[in-house]
Amino acid sequence: MSEAVITFLGIYFLSYFKFIAGPVLGSAAGYSIGLTILVTVAGMMSSVFLFTMLGEKFRSYLALRFYKDKAVFSKKNRAIVKLWKKYGEIGIALATPLILTPAGGTLILVSFGTRKRTIYFHMLWSSILWATFFSLTIDRILSIPLFQNLLG
């Protein structure tokens, strides 16, 4: 396989689990802003599709495996419920690339009983919005002479 394909797939799979990796590594690889946005959105949406399909099964497996004696109302869970009550599906989708992982945000929406079609729609616009913002921001920051001197 060529180096370009391996680089693209590496950025894609890292975006699958951690959203910010797409814009950062896309810029580092010398991708255009459009290609960086494309690979980041593709990675996040692949994760959203997978975890929407496996959502309940995966969540119940994790609950049995890792959270045997944990309190239900932890500080983290309270914050998620507060975000849900105040902003709903849109708030969770908007916070997913910033605070949560694509898998985490999807599993939260699935656990609250959101329809799959709604999850796909909200996660798509959120990923496009944040991928565009981060790609443009990182590109601008790297064009500052101070950062160019630091990076070599």
Side-chain angles (χ1 to χ4, degrees):
M1 237 191 278
S2 77
E3 187 177 329
V5 173
I6 292 172
T7 302
F8 185 87
L9 290 175
I11 295 170
Y12 167 79
F13 283 115
L14 285 171
S15 296
Y16 201 87
F17 297 106
K18 196 64 180 166
F19 182 83
I20 193 66
V24 171
L25 295 175
S27 181
Y31 287 175
S32 67
I33 291 173
L35 186 57
T36 302
I37 292 169
L38 177 74
V39 71
T40 304
V41 171
M44 178 170 163
M45 290 309 295
S46 296
S47 176
V48 168
F49 284 124
L50 177 71
F51 286 102
T52 301
M53 297 299 169
L54 300 176
E56 282 300 319
K57 292 176 186 173
F58 189 74
R59 193 173 68 80
S60 63
Y61 171 76
L62 284 178
L64 291 174
R65 179 119 174 128
F66 296 107
Y67 303 115
K68 291 180 182 175
D69 296 327
K70 282 197 166 185
V72 175
F73 297 108
S74 67
K75 190 174 185 177
K76 183 179 175 181
N77 289 348
R78 282 190 197 108
I80 290 169
V81 170
K82 187 176 180 181
L83 179 67
W84 173 262
K85 283 186 175 187
K86 194 167 186 177
Y87 301 107
E89 299 151 350
I90 294 171
I92 299 292
L94 201 58
T96 294
L98 296 174
I99 301 168
L100 308 166
T101 62
T106 304
L107 290 175
I108 289 169
L109 288 174
V110 167
S111 67
F112 279 114
T114 306
R115 290 184 344 201
K116 290 178 183 177
R117 187 176 193 170
T118 306
I119 293 172
Y120 299 147
F121 173 72
H122 288 307
M123 290 299 202
L124 179 63
W125 69 256
S126 176
S127 65
I128 292 171
L129 173 84
W130 288 114
T132 303
F133 174 77
F134 286 133
S135 296
L136 291 172
T137 303
I138 290 168
D139 195 51
R140 291 283 184 181
I141 288 172
L142 292 177
S143 69
I144 297 172
L146 172 68
F147 290 105
Q148 289 176 349
N149 292 339
L150 288 174
L151 297 174

